[in-house]
Amino acid sequence: MSTATEKVLRRRLIQRPAEPGARQTIYDVIFEADSPLGRGFDIALLVAIIASIVLVSLETVPEYDLQRDPNSATPTSRLALWFWALEWVLTILFTIEYALRLYCVRHPLKYAFSFWGIVDLLSILPSYLTLLVGRSAKSFVILRSVRLLRVFRVLKLWRMMSQADELADAVWKSREKIIVFLAVVLVAVTISGTLMYQIETVLMGETHESDFTSIPQAMYWAIVTMTTVGYGDVVPHTTIGKIISAALILLGYSLIIVPTGFVSAELSGKIAATTEHHRCAQCGLSSHRAGAVHCDRCGHRLDEVTPDETTPEASPA
Amino acid sequence: MSTATEKVLRRRLIQRPAEPGARQTIYDVIFEADSPLGRGFDIALLVAIIASIVLVSLETVPEYDLQRDPNSATPTSRLALWFWALEWVLTILFTIEYALRLYCVRHPLKYAFSFWGIVDLLSILPSYLTLLVGRSAKSFVILRSVRLLRVFRVLKLWRMMSQADELADAVWKSREKIIVFLAVVLVAVTISGTLMYQIETVLMGETHESDFTSIPQAMYWAIVTMTTVGYGDVVPHTTIGKIISAALILLGYSLIIVPTGFVSAELSGKIAATTEHHRCAQCGLSSHRAGAVHCDRCGHRLDEVTPDETTPEASPA
Amino acid sequence: MSTATEKVLRRRLIQRPAEPGARQTIYDVIFEADSPLGRGFDIALLVAIIASIVLVSLETVPEYDLQRDPNSATPTSRLALWFWALEWVLTILFTIEYALRLYCVRHPLKYAFSFWGIVDLLSILPSYLTLLVGRSAKSFVILRSVRLLRVFRVLKLWRMMSQADELADAVWKSREKIIVFLAVVLVAVTISGTLMYQIETVLMGETHESDFTSIPQAMYWAIVTMTTVGYGDVVPHTTIGKIISAALILLGYSLIIVPTGFVSAELSGKIAATTEHHRCAQCGLSSHRAGAVHCDRCGHRLDEVTPDETTPEASPA
Amino acid sequence: MSTATEKVLRRRLIQRPAEPGARQTIYDVIFEADSPLGRGFDIALLVAIIASIVLVSLETVPEYDLQRDPNSATPTSRLALWFWALEWVLTILFTIEYALRLYCVRHPLKYAFSFWGIVDLLSILPSYLTLLVGRSAKSFVILRSVRLLRVFRVLKLWRMMSQADELADAVWKSREKIIVFLAVVLVAVTISGTLMYQIETVLMGETHESDFTSIPQAMYWAIVTMTTVGYGDVVPHTTIGKIISAALILLGYSLIIVPTGFVSAELSGKIAATTEHHRCAQCGLSSHRAGAVHCDRCGHRLDEVTPDETTPEASPA
């Protein structure tokens, strides 16, 4: 049984109301996706989240000029009115959702202080906060920043992905390797950045123009280069700088591939072991190597059970 | 037997004319590639498709000035005349091909409304439509758009690749993971884009110039950066922006590698299992691990049969 | 036994002089790298090749101004004189090497028309050709082009890599997949290029500036983008263009990863099988899985023989 | 037992003082991380190193203007005074650390001339050297260069990573493949660089502007392109140059993926074999395949021992 499924079961054990009734029904619709109503709720929520993100994003586009007026939270233009209305419709919907979640769980405080409880609260708070912020020119920056906080609603999306926990597990398991990776990058970036700063400024002198104005700038260049992003806003201008730069690219490319391989191997090791999901009828082991004919724990033949059939109660014997 | 081969067999069963004759012969030449004539037809079609794509592309190069005159569909210059003539030759060839396909299959309507039937129709329709579009200045944009539709002829290329179905299968099988990948990207892009927009606009103020003019622009930057494309048209200008940006690059790089590994592992798992194609003479299993000496299902020695020999009727015993 | 070793053995069988003497000794020094003299020759050749490439490259740097004078092949400045002298020293050395190779092989013509024979001839020919080309202003471009041909001396480097053949094998074995990859790229590039051309030119109109001046230009953009090179010389300028562009980047990124995985899997399958190089003392099989204790062909225990010990005559029994 | 652990044991055997006392206690705190004091020392060192790197980097930012005054090593502004003070605090701390290391090891000279001994010396030397360098305008560049040498303190970070040796091993084991990779890159870069230089300069002529001013410049472009960094400071301007460039990108992309796969495969082969760390209670083998139930050397069941439990003395039988 995967960690993700375990988490769902554990939460259900703690939070699902024991006695049947309205609260239990609401719990099943909101927190689970097994029933048609639950799936419908999920899809509605998905649409609301994406609409909300699109809204927050579009508000900042200069053409719509919605954030530019520091004197009013209530918009004036026709389009801005629509934006404003839709924003409040979504906020009220998210508020109802939050209230229902608080109502239907067995331990509301436990939910309110859980990660998702805080995310749900953060999804509605910014809209209400904009009402409290005064409409003076001074508070314009604060107002704008508060409005932007609504973008964290995108995190609600994360909860809907059943595979997200599995992904988080994979990242968590390779945390040591990621730290090693970051340390390798830090060492490589520091040394190559300093080297390039030294070469470009010493060789170009004070008279010529150099993009490597300081070591932090050179380190920024080194990160942008080693990850092969390569914006091109900081580039070497001298011949020797280009030669060193090309050498560093190749070196950094070879170096960065090593810890990348670590994570990739960790993950593909995990996947390779669970490619085919025959459940063994004798011992219950669910992950076997691709193409396996016998269970490699107990030796029972696997072909009686069809792939991807998940029936733990299928083997009474 | 692979899914690709199954598809060919299924189509043959339904569409190939039962009685020998002209229609069956044409069917074999056009739809299959086993006979010398069939292969010849495929090569001719390949040449015609590529010539057609080159033609559509070159017509838009300003130097040739073919699309600029809104008053005539018939070109005036010498080169344009050649282009015009070749275009109609290709259109007539594709029309004949389409007519023959309709003629030789058992169920013409079934073919006409299949994916490839629509592609074949789309390959010839735009050329004829340009005749219908009026030659006024107003219809210039429409005319040009219609002409560009001919580029979909490139899809005809896809049909010719025997491995295309296998590829499509691999993509289809990892669709869930691709959706997770897209959701991860959406979350990461939204949050990092908003963060950079906030930092660059708050820090730069209204007076300085910032590339992050809006959240959609910042999200565009985040996608371009996280996929390591890195155009450099949108870059951070402040020191703090560069630091945050470098941190986001490393974070995004680590994050995006995870779902990338999923697809890659899915695929390499598939490949690894089928690297060598000895068919087992006893049980008929066709995929074994590289270097395997015995069949890992039944234990029969594999070396009696040479690799890549595909003779399902080789084992009468 | 690997294909690379087989090739060396086959060549030795055909070309090595049968009777001991000067020719056989020269053959061993030049064509093989087992003796100290042979290794010394290889290192000397390596230095000569790299010096030659550096020379050809530096000659084109404007500061040295060696190619700019169309009236003389013989240089005038002091530095240019050194370049000219070194060039002729290297040419004469390569000529001697070519002559010795022709002298010591059993079938000189067979060698002269082999791939490496032609490379060796091409390494010396350009220098002599510059003497023949007239010194008029007209022949300047030809002269310069001929001089640049010397850069093909870098191919001589390839022969020295024992693993090059193995690499070439891996590429050759995945040729079908590379063709599929190129076809996928062609289809994706054509459609996304046309789409972006249409969007950017229709939306920007004739008045605004667009980087997508023609479909070939848009296809160039698509290739540069999909391979994540991302120069930034062609970028979308409209909001809708950026949205489509971001979507195409993600799509193209997901698509291009699939055939990339094919090649990678092909290769890692090959490598995985040969990670540890114990030679089995009973059956002689040299590639086993990492950590294998018994030979997986014959079942003989592997630990009597130490890893990486390459003694084919070690098992007399 | 991994190579990394072996190295620690070997060093302890040689350098740890045999008799208990102050020297042995200091050795355990400084060189090992098993005790709470040892871990505390490691964290303090980590903070000091990172603070030092941040300091060296920030000093070069023009706004702080610390390096610009050639007449004084002692700074004048308030902020510069803080920087100067912190720098000397860190230098004295690193000096004490170096002295303690020299004091507590059994063979101080052996340590002083080891790699880490030299790194430790280099961490403090630059600061003292700045006192010796005269304060004339001439010695400004030297002074600045010497100050930058402090950046090598980042190497001290490397020692703290237990997995660094493992990483270094993986790189060292694939050194042959890295050389092949570099040779492949050299050949590809030389030929494609020359080709592009020829095309862009011949086609553009002397009148037009070309980014490919020389072959080294063109090789720089080729490296930047093939590694998909793609700065965009050197790009083709002609149509034929763009076509060739796009073809080279695809070719180079296909080529560079091959040796990349080599390293990646080498590494993932290593990882795959050691994913789960059950130590076999019978034969002591510590690396098994993920999900293995029996030891694949001796067949003993593995589940009696919990994963990641490293007790070599657990099997008295």
Side-chain angles (χ1 to χ4, degrees):
Chain A
M1 204 182 294
S2 78
T3 325
T5 323
E6 274 170 29
K7 277 191 182 173
V8 167
L9 290 184
R10 212 180 310 133
R11 194 187 58 200
R12 190 188 292 170
L13 212 71
I14 298 172
Q15 290 284 28
R16 192 168 180 254
E19 67 287 355
R23 275 179 70 204
Q24 210 196 50
T25 311
I26 292 170
Y27 181 92
D28 287 349
V29 168
I30 293 183
F31 281 96
E32 319 237 332
D34 297 337
S35 63
L37 255 169
R39 264 193 296 277
F41 176 81
D42 273 12
I43 289 164
L45 193 58
L46 182 70
V47 170
I49 292 166
I50 288 173
S52 179
I53 298 304
V54 169
L55 204 67
V56 179
S57 305
L58 286 184
E59 275 182 12
T60 65
V61 176
E63 281 86 48
Y64 303 134
D65 221 55
L66 300 178
Q67 291 203 331
R68 304 285 141 175
D69 185 357
N71 298 316
S72 66
T74 325
T76 47
S77 81
R78 201 180 181 80
L79 184 74
L81 200 72
W82 274 106
F83 274 47
W84 177 85
L86 184 54
E87 168 55 29
W88 279 107
V89 167
L90 288 168
T91 302
I92 288 162
L93 284 178
F94 287 138
T95 310
I96 294 170
E97 182 217 350
Y98 183 58
L100 283 176
R101 281 186 195 267
L102 276 176
Y103 166 72
C104 75
V105 295
R106 249 196 276 173
H107 310 286
L109 272 180
K110 198 179 173 70
Y111 160 72
F113 289 101
S114 73
F115 178 70
W116 293 121
I118 290 162
V119 165
D120 286 336
L121 184 61
L122 271 175
S123 299
I124 53 173
L125 218 59
S127 298
Y128 295 114
L129 279 177
T130 55
L131 296 178
L132 299 177
V133 175
R135 272 139 212 196
S136 66
K138 277 184 184 171
S139 58
F140 175 55
V141 172
I142 301 165
L143 184 71
R144 208 160 65 172
S145 304
V146 166
R147 291 171 75 91
L148 287 180
L149 282 177
R150 287 175 296 149
V151 97
F152 284 100
R153 286 172 185 167
V154 82
L155 283 174
K156 291 165 85 83
L157 210 69
W158 194 255
R159 171 158 51 187
M160 304 175 70
M161 288 188 289
S162 55
Q163 294 181 306
D165 282 322
E166 207 177 310
L167 211 73
D169 275 9
V171 171
W172 179 247
K173 268 186 192 157
S174 43
R175 66 188 178 285
E176 263 188 59
K177 270 137 196 172
I178 288 174
I179 289 169
V180 173
F181 165 74
L182 290 179
V184 170
V185 166
L186 187 58
V187 171
V189 155
T190 305
I191 289 176
S192 62
T194 308
L195 194 62
M196 282 302 286
Y197 170 71
Q198 177 75 347
I199 286 164
E200 282 279 308
T201 51
V202 165
L203 277 177
M204 308 280 291
E206 297 288 325
T207 52
H208 295 267
E209 175 209 24
S210 165
D211 288 344
F212 296 81
T213 52
S214 65
I215 289 187
Q217 175 91 343
M219 284 165 135
Y220 165 75
W221 166 83
I223 288 176
V224 166
T225 299
M226 279 192 177
T227 54
T228 75
V229 170
Y231 287 135
D233 54 343
V234 183
V235 288
H237 288 296
T238 59
T239 304
I240 189 106
K242 281 174 183 171
I243 291 168
I244 300 285
S245 170
L248 282 175
I249 288 172
L250 289 175
L251 191 77
Y253 195 73
S254 312
L255 271 180
I256 223 167
I257 234 158
V258 174
T260 299
F262 270 129
V263 180
S264 173
E266 178 80 23
L267 204 69
S268 77
K270 188 180 169 60
I271 301 292
T274 60
T275 310
E276 299 204 357
H277 299 277
H278 307 269
R279 176 176 289 274
C280 173
Q282 185 167 293
C283 73
L285 187 71
S286 64
S287 75
H288 303 279
R289 281 207 314 124
V293 172
H294 290 94
C295 171
D296 61 14
R297 183 192 277 163
C298 69
H300 194 79
R301 275 189 76 88
L302 292 167
D303 26 11
E304 288 93 353
V305 186
T306 54
D308 279 312
E309 190 178 322
T310 50
T311 50
E313 62 275 18
S315 56
Chain B
M1 203 183 294
S2 78
T3 325
T5 322
E6 274 170 29
K7 277 192 180 172
V8 167
L9 289 185
R10 211 179 313 130
R11 193 187 59 201
R12 190 188 293 170
L13 213 70
I14 298 172
Q15 290 285 28
R16 191 168 180 254
E19 67 287 355
R23 274 179 70 204
Q24 208 197 51
T25 311
I26 293 169
Y27 181 92
D28 288 349
V29 168
I30 293 183
F31 281 95
E32 320 237 331
D34 297 337
S35 62
L37 255 170
R39 265 192 296 277
F41 176 82
D42 272 13
I43 290 165
L45 193 58
L46 183 70
V47 170
I49 293 166
I50 288 173
S52 179
I53 297 305
V54 169
L55 204 66
V56 179
S57 305
L58 286 184
E59 274 181 14
T60 65
V61 177
E63 280 86 46
Y64 303 135
D65 221 52
L66 300 177
Q67 291 203 331
R68 303 286 139 175
D69 186 357
N71 299 317
S72 65
T74 325
T76 48
S77 81
R78 202 179 181 81
L79 185 73
L81 199 73
W82 275 105
F83 274 46
W84 177 86
L86 184 54
E87 167 55 30
W88 278 106
V89 167
L90 288 167
T91 302
I92 288 162
L93 285 177
F94 287 138
T95 310
I96 294 170
E97 182 217 351
Y98 183 60
L100 283 176
R101 282 187 195 267
L102 277 175
Y103 166 72
C104 74
V105 295
R106 250 196 277 173
H107 311 285
L109 271 179
K110 197 178 175 70
Y111 160 73
F113 289 100
S114 73
F115 177 70
W116 293 121
I118 290 162
V119 165
D120 286 336
L121 185 61
L122 271 176
S123 300
I124 53 172
L125 219 58
S127 298
Y128 295 113
L129 279 177
T130 55
L131 296 179
L132 300 177
V133 175
R135 270 142 214 194
S136 66
K138 279 183 183 171
S139 59
F140 174 56
V141 171
I142 299 164
L143 184 70
R144 208 160 66 171
S145 304
V146 167
R147 290 172 74 91
L148 287 179
L149 282 177
R150 288 175 296 148
V151 97
F152 284 101
R153 286 174 185 166
V154 81
L155 283 174
K156 291 167 83 86
L157 210 69
W158 193 256
R159 170 158 52 185
M160 303 176 69
M161 288 188 290
S162 55
Q163 294 181 306
D165 283 321
E166 207 177 311
L167 211 75
D169 275 9
V171 171
W172 180 247
K173 268 186 193 157
S174 44
R175 67 188 177 284
E176 263 189 57
K177 271 138 195 170
I178 288 173
I179 289 168
V180 172
F181 165 74
L182 290 179
V184 170
V185 165
L186 187 58
V187 171
V189 155
T190 306
I191 289 177
S192 62
T194 308
L195 193 63
M196 282 302 287
Y197 170 71
Q198 177 75 347
I199 285 165
E200 283 278 309
T201 51
V202 166
L203 278 176
M204 308 282 289
E206 297 288 326
T207 53
H208 296 265
E209 175 209 23
S210 165
D211 289 344
F212 296 80
T213 51
S214 65
I215 289 187
Q217 174 91 343
M219 284 165 135
Y220 165 74
W221 166 83
I223 288 176
V224 166
T225 299
M226 280 193 177
T227 54
T228 75
V229 170
Y231 286 135
D233 54 342
V234 183
V235 288
H237 288 297
T238 60
T239 303
I240 189 105
K242 281 174 183 171
I243 292 169
I244 300 284
S245 171
L248 282 175
I249 288 172
L250 288 176
L251 191 77
Y253 195 73
S254 312
L255 271 179
I256 222 167
I257 233 158
V258 173
T260 300
F262 270 130
V263 180
S264 174
E266 178 80 25
L267 204 68
S268 77
K270 188 180 168 62
I271 301 293
T274 59
T275 310
E276 300 204 358
H277 299 278
H278 308 267
R279 176 176 288 275
C280 172
Q282 185 167 292
C283 71
L285 188 69
S286 65
S287 75
H288 303 278
R289 282 206 316 120
V293 172
H294 290 93
C295 171
D296 61 13
R297 183 192 276 163
C298 69
H300 194 78
R301 275 189 75 88
L302 291 167
D303 27 12
E304 288 94 352
V305 186
T306 54
D308 278 313
E309 190 178 322
T310 51
T311 50
E313 62 275 18
S315 56
Chain C
M1 203 183 296
S2 78
T3 325
T5 323
E6 274 170 30
K7 276 192 182 171
V8 168
L9 290 185
R10 210 180 312 132
R11 194 188 57 199
R12 191 188 290 170
L13 213 71
I14 297 172
Q15 291 285 27
R16 191 167 180 255
E19 68 287 356
R23 275 178 72 203
Q24 208 195 52
T25 312
I26 292 169
Y27 181 92
D28 288 349
V29 168
I30 293 183
F31 280 96
E32 320 237 331
D34 297 336
S35 63
L37 254 169
R39 265 192 296 277
F41 176 82
D42 272 13
I43 291 164
L45 193 58
L46 182 70
V47 171
I49 292 165
I50 289 173
S52 179
I53 297 306
V54 169
L55 205 68
V56 179
S57 305
L58 286 184
E59 274 181 13
T60 64
V61 176
E63 281 86 46
Y64 303 135
D65 221 52
L66 300 177
Q67 291 203 331
R68 303 286 140 174
D69 186 358
N71 299 316
S72 66
T74 326
T76 47
S77 82
R78 204 181 179 78
L79 185 73
L81 199 72
W82 275 105
F83 274 46
W84 177 86
L86 185 53
E87 167 56 30
W88 277 107
V89 167
L90 288 168
T91 301
I92 287 162
L93 284 177
F94 286 138
T95 310
I96 293 170
E97 182 217 350
Y98 184 59
L100 283 176
R101 282 187 195 268
L102 276 176
Y103 166 72
C104 75
V105 296
R106 247 196 279 173
H107 310 287
L109 272 180
K110 197 178 176 70
Y111 160 73
F113 288 102
S114 73
F115 178 69
W116 293 121
I118 290 162
V119 166
D120 287 335
L121 185 61
L122 271 176
S123 299
I124 53 173
L125 218 58
S127 298
Y128 294 114
L129 278 177
T130 55
L131 296 178
L132 299 178
V133 174
R135 270 139 214 196
S136 65
K138 278 183 185 173
S139 59
F140 175 56
V141 171
I142 300 164
L143 184 70
R144 208 159 67 172
S145 304
V146 167
R147 290 172 75 93
L148 287 179
L149 282 177
R150 287 175 297 149
V151 98
F152 283 102
R153 286 174 185 167
V154 81
L155 283 174
K156 291 167 84 85
L157 210 70
W158 193 254
R159 170 158 53 184
M160 303 175 70
M161 290 188 289
S162 55
Q163 295 182 304
D165 282 323
E166 208 176 309
L167 211 75
D169 275 9
V171 171
W172 180 245
K173 268 185 192 159
S174 43
R175 67 189 178 284
E176 261 188 61
K177 271 138 195 170
I178 288 174
I179 289 168
V180 172
F181 165 74
L182 290 178
V184 170
V185 166
L186 187 58
V187 171
V189 155
T190 305
I191 289 176
S192 62
T194 308
L195 194 62
M196 282 302 287
Y197 169 72
Q198 177 75 348
I199 286 164
E200 283 279 308
T201 51
V202 165
L203 278 176
M204 308 282 290
E206 297 288 325
T207 53
H208 295 266
E209 174 209 25
S210 164
D211 288 345
F212 295 81
T213 51
S214 64
I215 289 186
Q217 175 91 343
M219 284 165 135
Y220 165 74
W221 165 84
I223 288 176
V224 166
T225 299
M226 280 192 176
T227 54
T228 76
V229 170
Y231 287 135
D233 54 344
V234 183
V235 288
H237 289 295
T238 59
T239 303
I240 188 106
K242 281 175 183 171
I243 291 169
I244 300 284
S245 171
L248 282 176
I249 287 172
L250 288 176
L251 191 79
Y253 195 72
S254 312
L255 270 180
I256 221 167
I257 233 157
V258 173
T260 299
F262 269 131
V263 179
S264 173
E266 178 80 25
L267 204 67
S268 77
K270 187 180 169 61
I271 300 293
T274 59
T275 311
E276 299 203 359
H277 298 279
H278 308 268
R279 176 176 288 276
C280 174
Q282 185 166 294
C283 73
L285 187 70
S286 63
S287 75
H288 303 280
R289 280 207 316 125
V293 172
H294 290 92
C295 170
D296 61 12
R297 182 192 278 162
C298 69
H300 194 77
R301 276 188 75 88
L302 291 168
D303 26 13
E304 288 94 351
V305 186
T306 54
D308 278 314
E309 191 179 320
T310 51
T311 49
E313 62 275 18
S315 56
Chain D
M1 203 183 294
S2 79
T3 325
T5 323
E6 273 170 30
K7 276 191 181 172
V8 168
L9 289 184
R10 212 180 310 132
R11 194 187 58 199
R12 190 188 291 169
L13 212 71
I14 297 172
Q15 291 284 26
R16 192 168 180 255
E19 67 286 358
R23 276 179 69 203
Q24 209 196 50
T25 312
I26 292 169
Y27 181 93
D28 287 350
V29 168
I30 292 183
F31 280 96
E32 320 237 331
D34 297 337
S35 63
L37 256 170
R39 263 193 296 277
F41 176 82
D42 271 13
I43 289 164
L45 193 59
L46 182 70
V47 170
I49 292 166
I50 288 174
S52 179
I53 297 305
V54 169
L55 204 68
V56 178
S57 304
L58 285 185
E59 275 181 13
T60 64
V61 177
E63 281 85 46
Y64 303 135
D65 220 56
L66 300 177
Q67 292 203 331
R68 304 285 140 174
D69 185 356
N71 299 316
S72 65
T74 326
T76 47
S77 80
R78 203 179 179 80
L79 185 75
L81 200 73
W82 274 106
F83 274 46
W84 177 85
L86 184 54
E87 167 55 30
W88 278 106
V89 167
L90 287 168
T91 301
I92 288 161
L93 283 177
F94 286 139
T95 310
I96 294 170
E97 183 217 350
Y98 183 58
L100 283 176
R101 282 189 194 266
L102 275 176
Y103 165 71
C104 74
V105 295
R106 247 196 279 174
H107 310 286
L109 272 179
K110 198 178 174 71
Y111 160 71
F113 289 101
S114 73
F115 178 69
W116 293 121
I118 290 162
V119 165
D120 287 335
L121 185 62
L122 271 176
S123 299
I124 54 172
L125 219 58
S127 298
Y128 295 114
L129 279 177
T130 55
L131 295 178
L132 300 177
V133 174
R135 270 139 214 195
S136 66
K138 277 183 183 172
S139 57
F140 174 55
V141 171
I142 300 163
L143 185 71
R144 208 160 67 173
S145 304
V146 167
R147 290 171 76 91
L148 287 179
L149 282 177
R150 288 175 298 149
V151 98
F152 283 102
R153 286 173 184 166
V154 81
L155 283 174
K156 291 166 83 82
L157 210 70
W158 194 255
R159 170 158 52 186
M160 304 175 70
M161 288 188 290
S162 55
Q163 295 182 306
D165 283 322
E166 207 176 309
L167 211 74
D169 276 9
V171 171
W172 179 246
K173 268 186 191 156
S174 43
R175 65 188 178 285
E176 262 187 60
K177 270 137 196 171
I178 288 174
I179 289 169
V180 172
F181 165 74
L182 290 179
V184 170
V185 166
L186 187 58
V187 171
V189 155
T190 305
I191 289 176
S192 62
T194 307
L195 194 62
M196 281 304 285
Y197 169 72
Q198 177 75 348
I199 286 164
E200 284 278 308
T201 51
V202 166
L203 277 177
M204 309 281 289
E206 298 287 325
T207 53
H208 295 267
E209 174 208 25
S210 165
D211 288 344
F212 297 80
T213 52
S214 64
I215 289 186
Q217 175 91 343
M219 283 165 137
Y220 165 76
W221 166 83
I223 288 176
V224 166
T225 299
M226 279 191 177
T227 55
T228 75
V229 170
Y231 287 135
D233 55 343
V234 184
V235 288
H237 288 296
T238 59
T239 304
I240 188 108
K242 281 173 184 173
I243 291 169
I244 300 284
S245 171
L248 281 175
I249 288 172
L250 288 176
L251 190 77
Y253 195 72
S254 313
L255 270 179
I256 222 167
I257 233 157
V258 173
T260 299
F262 268 131
V263 179
S264 173
E266 178 80 25
L267 204 68
S268 77
K270 187 179 170 60
I271 300 291
T274 59
T275 310
E276 300 202 357
H277 298 278
H278 309 268
R279 177 176 286 277
C280 173
Q282 185 167 294
C283 73
L285 188 70
S286 64
S287 76
H288 303 280
R289 281 207 316 125
V293 171
H294 289 93
C295 170
D296 61 12
R297 182 193 278 163
C298 68
H300 194 79
R301 275 189 76 88
L302 291 167
D303 26 11
E304 287 95 352
V305 187
T306 55
D308 278 314
E309 191 179 319
T310 51
T311 50
E313 61 275 18
S315 56

